[in-house]
Amino acid sequence: MTKAADVFKLKNRNNVEVTFIGRGGQITSINVPDSKGSIADVVVGYETIEEALAGDGYFGALCGRYANRVVKGQFEIDGEKYQLECNNDQNHLHGGSDGFNNRIWEVEAYDTNKFAQAYKLSLTSKDGDQKYPGELKVEVIYGLTEENEFVIEYIANTTKATIINLTSHAYFNLKGAGTGTVEGQNLQLNASKFTPISAEIGTVTGEIAEVKDTAMDFVEPKTVGEACAADCPQVKIVDGIDHNFVIDGYDGMLRLAARMSDPESGREMEVYTDQPGIQVYTGSHFDGSETGKLGAPIVKWAGLALETQIFPDSPNKEHFPNAVLRPEETYKHTCVYKFII
Ligand code: BGC
């Protein structure tokens, strides 16, 4: 049986190394060399596993059953109404206060020639867990390739119709966690549309808007700082970016969603997914009160979460992608974080 503090490592020939723990499948570090071979840990978090277990439980964790928000915690399937916990003001966030980030996943080595090294993480969520219908069996593969791709593959099945949206919640700082903010790092998104938010609703309004002429326009690369500093109502609501982007050309196949790069170290990462959306979050709630890696305070905009997903509140928005999983179906989701070295 895996324990909360059990540590697992994936390593390839190029010295890329991913470390995670049993609780939440939480990624606690990703070491990546730059072009000169100088290695930095590119995910925001704590120095020790003890601190990780006691601290912000979303750092690098697997989120579910429904990552992101469900408005008022309510949804309906086949005429049956469900009420989830509202653990984020008036809304439900990341599967509730005892979400998958908080669970101890069963971890075992996963043998396949697709990866340099891989692990399988499994979890069974009981019928009614966090008030979601159906028993949900989830398997997540964490795999590292010799091409410096950290691959996350999700598979899930349910015994009753339910809703599902699994994601991974690592905050990336390509210069290295603890070296300051990501304001000077570049972001490019394969997204000409996004889903605007409202302060009153606390998440998406249901609108799908063009990014053109807004701070949300990352079609051409620009710095995260430029967007965060923009005089734009959408930025003001969340003091940065905390938005879902609609991936262009979505067809259920793996495609480029985002590219992030750090001009100082030259480190670059591409994100690929088969999901319709990606939540970009600048970590605006970090206030420097916690000490993280390199003994530095975890400050506002210290990292960028790039969470591949179905859209927020999809269960209540007819025109958003489907988030309902039925017993005869299998939920599948792949996300690739590829480090360009
Ligand atoms: C959400 C943020 C939320 C954070 C919690 C992100 O996925 O987009 O709004 O504050 O998770 O860690």
Side-chain angles (χ1 to χ4, degrees):
M1 282 251 298
T2 304
K3 295 190 200 63
D6 284 354
V7 179
F8 304 90
K9 277 187 201 301
L10 298 161
K11 195 165 181 170
N12 74 4
R13 262 187 240 133
N14 310 316
N15 289 323
V16 175
E17 188 184 74
V18 179
T19 305
F20 67 97
I21 58 174
R23 201 277 312 264
Q26 203 176 347
I27 298 156
T28 48
S29 69
I30 303 185
N31 288 337
V32 181
D34 65 12
S35 53
K36 294 182 205 82
S38 167
I39 293 176
D41 178 356
V42 299
V43 294
V44 175
Y46 306 94
E47 287 277 15
T48 66
I49 302 302
E50 292 68 36
E51 287 167 303
L53 288 170
D56 184 328
Y58 292 127
F59 281 163
L62 291 167
C63 296
R65 292 189 187 189
Y66 202 92
N68 218 316
R69 292 175 174 83
V70 177
V71 170
K72 297 197 167 108
Q74 293 170 350
F75 67 98
E76 196 178 317
I77 304 177
D78 304 333
E80 187 98 25
K81 290 189 167 67
Y82 297 94
Q83 177 69 60
L84 304 170
E85 177 195 1
C86 294
N87 57 328
N88 185 248
D89 299 325
Q90 73 272 39
N91 298 322
H92 177 79
L93 176 71
H94 295 332
S97 53
D98 189 19
F100 288 177
N101 61 295
N102 209 28
R103 304 296 169 85
I104 299 170
W105 292 67
E106 193 53 40
V107 182
E108 59 191 290
Y110 182 71
D111 216 6
T112 158
N113 49 20
K114 217 162 98 181
F115 301 118
Q117 241 185 315
Y119 285 97
K120 181 164 87 180
L121 296 80
S122 336
L123 188 76
T124 300
S125 168
K126 292 200 183 86
D127 187 5
D129 182 12
Q130 303 296 290
K131 308 225 179 77
Y132 285 89
E135 181 186 85
L136 192 77
K137 279 197 187 317
V138 188
E139 275 184 15
V140 177
I141 306 295
Y142 278 172
L144 181 66
T145 69
E146 295 295 2
E147 287 71 47
N148 310 315
E149 297 155 316
F150 175 49
V151 180
I152 308 178
E153 292 174 351
Y154 307 80
I155 288 187
N157 287 99
T158 182
T159 55
K160 288 181 192 159
T162 190
I163 59 167
I164 185 166
N165 186 31
L166 305 176
T167 199
S168 170
H169 204 306
Y171 292 89
F172 294 92
N173 182 328
L174 297 181
K175 198 176 152 201
T179 65
T181 73
V182 291
E183 283 165 276
Q185 298 182 26
N186 293 307
L187 178 67
Q188 183 173 22
L189 296 173
N190 178 26
S192 50
K193 296 191 177 70
F194 77 112
T195 51
I197 55 173
S198 119
E200 291 76 56
I201 302 170
T203 184
V204 295
T205 59
E207 190 194 345
I208 295 180
E210 299 282 336
V211 296
K212 204 169 183 305
D213 300 325
T214 77
M216 300 297 146
D217 189 349
F218 290 95
V219 171
E220 295 301 326
K222 70 176 181 198
T223 63
V224 173
E226 183 185 333
C228 287
D231 185 18
C232 161
Q234 285 291 309
V235 169
K236 295 269 180 315
I237 298 173
V238 284
D239 192 16
I241 308 158
D242 191 3
H243 290 82
N244 168 67
F245 290 80
V246 179
I247 296 166
D248 283 341
Y250 164 70
D251 61 359
M253 304 297 280
L254 211 58
R255 65 181 56 246
L256 182 70
R259 188 178 281 128
M260 184 183 176
S261 64
D262 171 40
E264 269 189 59
S265 62
R267 283 191 198 88
E268 197 177 327
M269 179 180 79
E270 290 174 341
V271 185
Y272 294 82
T273 189
D274 54 9
Q275 294 297 289
I278 185 166
Q279 181 82 11
V280 177
Y281 179 46
T282 46
S284 311
H285 72 284
F286 303 149
D287 60 6
S289 61
E290 284 199 289
T291 304
K293 291 172 183 173
L294 305 181
I298 304 175
V299 291
K300 182 171 90 170
W301 306 340
L304 199 61
L306 296 163
E307 305 159 61
T308 58
Q309 58 164 9
I310 299 172
F311 303 173
D313 203 36
S314 278
N316 296 305
K317 306 275 188 295
E318 280 285 326
H319 58 296
F320 278 11
N322 172 54
V324 174
L325 179 70
R326 296 181 181 278
E328 65 277 14
E329 299 166 337
T330 297
Y331 168 86
K332 285 189 182 156
H333 169 178
T334 300
C335 171
V336 179
Y337 296 105
K338 177 173 181 149
F339 300 98
I340 317 292
I341 298 174

